[in-house]
Amino acid sequence: MTQLTRKAIMEAFIRLLNERSYDKIKVKDIVEECGINRNTFYYHFEDIPALVEEILRLETERVLGLGAEEIMDSWENAFIRAADFALQNKRAIYHIYNSVGRDVIEHYLNAIASDVMVRFVEKTADGLSVSEEDKKLIIRFYRSALVGLIVDWLEAGMKYDPRVLIYRLGQLFEGNILLSLQRSIAVKPE
């Protein structure tokens, strides 16, 4: 019952967040939305920022639990699947981002993008004698590019579909991760 109540609180908050801005939601609104009392809310969460962090933590865990087949077909598809929560809850994410939770959203995006790129680069580098430093550099570059695209999307008011840009980036950079890993072997740092 406790987990069901906790889940109901999170779902009620997300519904409200998809309707109105973060600063317009009070604990009173959440408890009314899910039919519980304030004490029940505070039994599960210290406050609304703790609720936001828990929602994003659980979503990050869900994404990081994706299987290899869901990550390895392409980094573009993997990142889109990983970002499904943000895409399905655009207004909620936008409201969090434009509130005190901006750092929380960026942490969430970085965790997901890092995981996707680590898995993809490691799989692509399998069998190649690539230095760990070069793999980390490639991962950091792609993670930063992906997170940067999503942050730009948020800053632009989420008015376009970021999947289009991510897929296009994938087309323009297709094979570059493998090529970069191969260059790592051929071109030694000075």
Side-chain angles (χ1 to χ4, degrees):
M1 184 68 156
T2 300
Q3 289 301 328
L4 290 175
T5 303
R6 190 174 178 81
K7 184 177 179 190
I9 293 168
M10 289 188 274
E11 289 172 352
F13 178 68
I14 291 169
R15 278 193 306 276
L16 290 169
L17 205 50
N18 275 309
E19 296 170 4
R20 57 183 117 151
S21 66
Y22 179 89
D23 62 338
K24 302 278 192 247
I25 300 171
K26 307 295 178 221
V27 171
K28 175 183 175 272
D29 302 320
I30 298 167
V31 300
E32 286 176 3
E33 178 74 16
C34 62
I36 61 171
N37 63 45
R38 291 177 68 83
N39 289 338
T40 302
F41 175 88
Y42 287 113
Y43 174 79
H44 292 283
F45 300 100
E46 179 180 332
D47 53 18
I48 292 177
L51 173 60
V52 170
E53 287 190 33
E54 180 66 4
I55 290 169
L56 294 177
R57 184 190 67 75
L58 290 172
E59 183 57 23
T60 301
E61 283 180 8
R62 182 198 67 79
V63 168
L64 299 184
L66 290 174
E69 68 282 351
E70 294 172 285
I71 296 291
M72 294 310 146
D73 57 349
S74 76
W75 62 261
E76 306 93 338
N77 288 336
F79 192 71
I80 293 299
R81 276 195 295 278
D84 277 345
F85 177 78
L87 294 169
Q88 292 168 4
N89 295 285
K90 291 191 320 189
R91 289 183 55 99
I93 296 297
Y94 185 73
H95 287 148
I96 293 169
Y97 185 76
N98 285 305
S99 70
V100 295
R102 181 173 279 199
D103 291 342
V104 175
I105 294 292
E106 289 182 12
H107 177 75
Y108 163 75
L109 291 170
N110 273 301
I112 290 171
S114 289
D115 185 71
V116 166
M117 293 316 303
V118 164
R119 292 188 204 193
F120 193 79
V121 168
E122 288 296 337
K123 180 184 182 290
T124 305
D126 191 38
L128 299 175
S129 299
V130 180
S131 74
E132 288 302 314
E133 293 80 25
D134 284 348
K135 284 193 278 187
K136 287 178 185 175
L137 182 60
I138 293 165
I139 290 164
R140 195 173 12 195
F141 173 80
Y142 277 89
R143 182 208 64 219
S144 297
L146 289 169
V147 171
L149 281 174
I150 298 300
V151 168
D152 285 350
W153 173 62
L154 289 163
E155 293 288 332
M158 304 168 98
K159 293 182 178 146
Y160 58 87
D161 188 346
R163 294 174 289 207
V164 173
L165 293 180
I166 291 168
Y167 285 130
R168 184 63 180 151
L169 188 64
Q171 290 173 326
L172 294 173
F173 285 79
E174 184 163 347
N176 280 357
I177 291 176
L178 176 59
L179 184 59
S180 296
L181 291 166
Q182 291 169 335
R183 282 188 182 140
S184 169
I185 299 166
V187 179
K188 298 298 176 195
E190 297 177 10

